[in-house]
Amino acid sequence: MPLSKPRLIKELIGRIPPSQRADVAGVLIPEVDLQKRIALMGKAIAKDYKGKDVLVVSLLSGTVLFLADLLRRLEFPLRVDFLGVSSYGSGTESGKLVFNKELKLDVRGAHVLVVDDILDTGKTLRAVTEKILALKPASIRTCVLLDKKERRVGNIEADYVGFQIPDWFVVGYGLDFAERYRNLPYVGVLKPEVYAPKQSLIRKPSR
Ligand code: XMP
């Protein structure tokens, strides 16, 4: 679901609790829209996986809120496991990938659905897909809440996408900056001065 520019700007005005106004510039995707979209994603996934042995593999930690809401919409038997992936870059830059938590469950023969918070350059999803394919699943598909197409390197796409968003650094609903803001109930845009002093709101983070 792409977000149109006028809607985006409308959402950026207000709606920020006073205690969070200092760092968050605006609400990009309000709670109500997240829930509506996740309900639709759940329906599509349930239809595609009917009768299959599904293993949901969630990437820590940005998926916590998305996963909890998505799982409640998947009304069929499934297993859930977690993979820890960290990108060691500075600030908002994507850096070297390190797996810091391995899967516990057996992947062989399962229909794997990888769940991530945001597809950005695609480096993470590509590495995770390759790692899981080596474990011989019956199939593998990917599901992301957010998709920042502008930053993609190569031709990787997710099978299920919640929202396409512009190249702005977003936080909330599980997404963090320096491990903070994950508990915001909406997806918000971080004020550029929080991560890159002297930049304006619409300008891209430096890399
Ligand atoms: P790649 O570039 O590998 O990135 O597709 C995926 C991971 O990078 C993080 N990421 C973000 N985290 N706000 C965040 O809080 C963002 O705007 C953002 N863009 C990328 C995220 O961990 C994701 O899994």
Side-chain angles (χ1 to χ4, degrees):
M1 180 186 285
L3 294 166
S4 68
K5 270 274 154 54
R7 178 190 156 72
L8 203 64
I9 287 156
K10 196 174 136 231
E11 296 300 349
L12 281 168
I13 301 166
R15 301 238 222 139
I16 309 292
S19 60
Q20 291 155 2
R21 268 181 209 152
D23 293 341
V24 180
V27 176
L28 184 60
I29 311 173
E31 226 175 329
V32 61
D33 291 6
L34 288 167
Q35 294 308 326
K36 274 191 210 156
R37 183 69 188 139
I38 291 167
L40 291 176
M41 293 173 87
K43 270 193 186 146
I45 293 168
K47 191 167 160 237
D48 292 350
Y49 282 99
K50 201 170 173 213
K52 292 186 171 154
D53 171 26
V54 178
L55 173 61
V56 174
V57 171
S58 189
L59 307 191
L60 295 171
S61 308
T63 53
V64 277
L65 301 194
F66 174 42
L67 181 74
D69 287 336
L70 182 67
L71 284 180
R72 279 178 275 202
R73 301 289 181 170
L74 302 182
E75 292 166 4
F76 55 85
L78 52 76
R79 294 179 295 156
V80 184
D81 204 351
F82 299 91
L83 198 53
V85 197
S86 281
S87 172
Y88 287 93
S90 59
T92 58
E93 290 177 39
S94 151
K96 187 177 155 31
L97 280 188
V98 176
F99 287 96
N100 51 29
K101 167 161 183 335
E102 296 296 333
L103 293 171
K104 209 171 59 179
L105 303 180
D106 192 9
V107 167
R108 187 178 285 265
H111 293 276
V112 173
L113 178 67
V114 177
V115 174
D116 200 6
D117 50 3
I118 181 166
L119 175 56
D120 191 1
T121 63
K123 215 169 13 174
T124 305
L125 220 47
R126 186 174 288 115
V128 166
T129 304
E130 278 169 14
K131 185 180 174 73
I132 293 174
L133 277 174
L135 301 172
K136 309 256 182 277
S139 72
I140 182 163
R141 282 188 185 168
T142 53
C143 170
V144 295
L145 178 67
L146 307 173
D147 182 4
K148 260 193 216 175
K149 272 197 192 301
E150 278 174 59
R151 299 237 309 153
R152 198 80 87 253
V153 178
N155 60 358
I156 185 159
E157 296 296 339
D159 297 291
Y160 305 95
V161 174
F163 300 88
Q164 281 165 22
I165 64 165
D167 183 13
W168 293 354
F169 197 80
V170 290
V171 292
Y173 198 63
L175 290 138
D176 75 308
F177 175 69
E179 296 302 329
R180 298 198 178 269
Y181 314 101
R182 291 194 200 276
N183 57 325
L184 301 181
Y186 49 78
V187 175
V189 179
L190 199 60
K191 282 186 180 167
E193 55 265 36
V194 177
Y195 57 82
K198 294 185 189 148
Q199 284 196 348
S200 70
L201 174 66
I202 309 295
R203 282 176 61 187
K204 296 171 185 176
S206 57
R207 346 188 182 285

